[in-house]
Amino acid sequence: MPSIVRIIMQTTPTDPIISRQADGMTARLARHLDRRFWLYAALIGVLSLWLRDGLPLWVIADAGHDDQLFLRQANAILQGQWLGAYDWVTHAKPPFYSIFIAIVFVLSVPLKIAEHTAYLITGLCLAHYIGQRAQAKAIGLACFAMIAFCPVLWHPELQRVIREGLYMPQTLGVFALAAYCFLAPGRTGWRRWLVLLFFGLFFAGFWITREEGIWLVPSLVLLAISGIIIDWHAMGQTPGTLWAITKRQALNISLMVVVMIMGVMSVGALNWAYYDSFR
């Protein structure tokens, strides 16, 4: 009996040899996933799209404030009539989802496949950024797998022609772009300015998809403050750097907000031109 106990104790994970072997296997697996990140990400994305394609699209034809409204307005946009003839529901919902439906129709892409593709792209951007910050692409790949197979994606209500199918990828995209732009305010170069411009336009689209865009603002402010603190610690917490980093962060935010406001105001200008109503 004592010999059996000794054998068990010698083969437990506390054994230095076994621990080193386990660490080596973990390191090899991490290196393997790092080298083949894009391959596995593509496989995850294709499998998620395949699952999405197996779910039927359905519409509540008389939903005058939802399905019917979006499809009617998308049809009017395709005919060059903006949101169509003015009535009591023309401005019941912001118009970006109708614009999105019109765009994917022109591209000949099924609506729900387009929504899911947008979701996977924005989710991959966020997951890849997380993997970079963690210095382990395997972590980013795990995050992407959780995003791609989130159970809520298969909820029957999301198979309808409603805004939530687009709102989810927009939310992920806003956080991915905010993380890139705000968590390293000291980063410079033309790519950064280009991403800030794109962030402003993307956030404008988010703002005019649903009515509660303001709910993301506290989270974005928290990311901006976190970026200032992270950069300040990275620069040794010297007295003059905090103010310089704060000014750069304020410039980043200002550029994004100005572009976002211009995007939203352009929709208001179209409404003014067609309906004498700046909304």
Side-chain angles (χ1 to χ4, degrees):
M1 191 69 177
S3 60
I4 296 175
V5 172
R6 281 198 301 272
I7 292 171
I8 294 173
M9 291 180 64
Q10 289 171 359
T11 56
T12 57
T14 56
D15 189 296
I17 296 175
I18 294 178
S19 297
R20 283 196 297 272
Q21 290 176 344
D23 291 343
M25 289 177 62
T26 303
R28 286 195 295 273
L29 178 61
R31 287 194 299 270
H32 174 80
L33 293 175
D34 285 352
R35 288 194 299 268
R36 293 169 174 79
F37 174 86
W38 296 110
L39 173 62
Y40 288 122
L43 291 174
I44 290 169
V46 168
L47 180 56
S48 183
L49 272 173
W50 176 71
L51 291 172
R52 165 64 264 180
D53 191 47
L55 297 173
L57 170 69
W58 64 285
V59 177
I60 300 179
D62 60 348
H65 290 87
D66 286 303
D67 311 46
Q68 183 192 96
L69 175 65
F70 299 132
L71 291 172
R72 191 187 74 181
Q73 291 185 344
N75 184 59
I77 291 169
L78 290 168
Q79 294 177 7
Q81 300 172 1
W82 187 218
L83 302 178
Y86 190 83
D87 58 22
W88 62 289
V89 292
T90 299
H91 289 153
K93 299 284 177 70
F96 191 78
Y97 188 54
S98 299
I99 297 171
F100 179 79
I101 293 173
I103 291 172
V104 299
F105 179 82
V106 171
L107 296 175
S108 299
V109 179
L111 176 61
K112 290 302 170 180
I113 294 297
E115 290 176 2
H116 199 76
T117 301
Y119 175 80
L120 291 174
I121 290 171
T122 54
L124 179 59
C125 290
L126 183 59
H128 184 251
Y129 182 84
I130 292 170
Q132 283 188 323
R133 296 294 296 209
Q135 297 183 345
K137 289 184 179 179
I139 293 176
L141 195 64
C143 290
F144 181 55
M146 288 188 287
I147 290 170
F149 301 113
C150 177
V152 75
L153 296 172
W154 325 121
H155 193 282
E157 283 296 309
L158 286 180
Q159 319 320 322
R160 290 175 52 198
V161 182
I162 54 175
R163 299 173 292 177
E164 284 71 18
L166 180 61
Y167 203 57
M168 290 169 61
Q170 285 178 316
T171 304
L172 287 176
V174 166
F175 278 117
L177 289 165
Y180 179 85
C181 295
F182 294 162
L183 289 184
R187 190 187 290 125
T188 59
W190 66 270
R191 287 189 183 88
R192 179 168 185 77
W193 299 114
L194 188 63
V195 173
L196 281 166
L197 291 172
F198 179 71
F199 185 17
L201 291 173
F202 194 92
F203 196 61
F206 172 86
W207 196 270
I208 56 175
T209 298
R210 286 184 60 93
E211 298 81 1
E212 68 278 2
I214 192 70
W215 73 271
L216 272 192
V217 172
S219 300
L220 297 181
V221 170
L222 180 62
L223 278 174
I225 294 172
S226 301
I228 293 171
I229 296 171
I230 290 169
D231 263 22
W232 187 48
H233 275 274
M235 294 182 180
Q237 304 180 32
T238 53
T241 56
L242 181 60
W243 176 239
I245 294 168
T246 303
K247 287 194 295 184
R248 283 198 297 268
Q249 189 73 291
L251 179 62
N252 294 338
I253 294 170
S254 299
L255 177 60
M256 185 276 290
V257 170
V258 167
V259 175
M260 187 271 285
I261 291 174
M262 291 174 63
V264 174
M265 298 284 273
S266 65
V267 173
L270 280 169
N271 286 328
W272 177 268
Y274 277 85
Y275 309 119
D276 290 330
S277 176
F278 192 85
R279 294 173 181 265

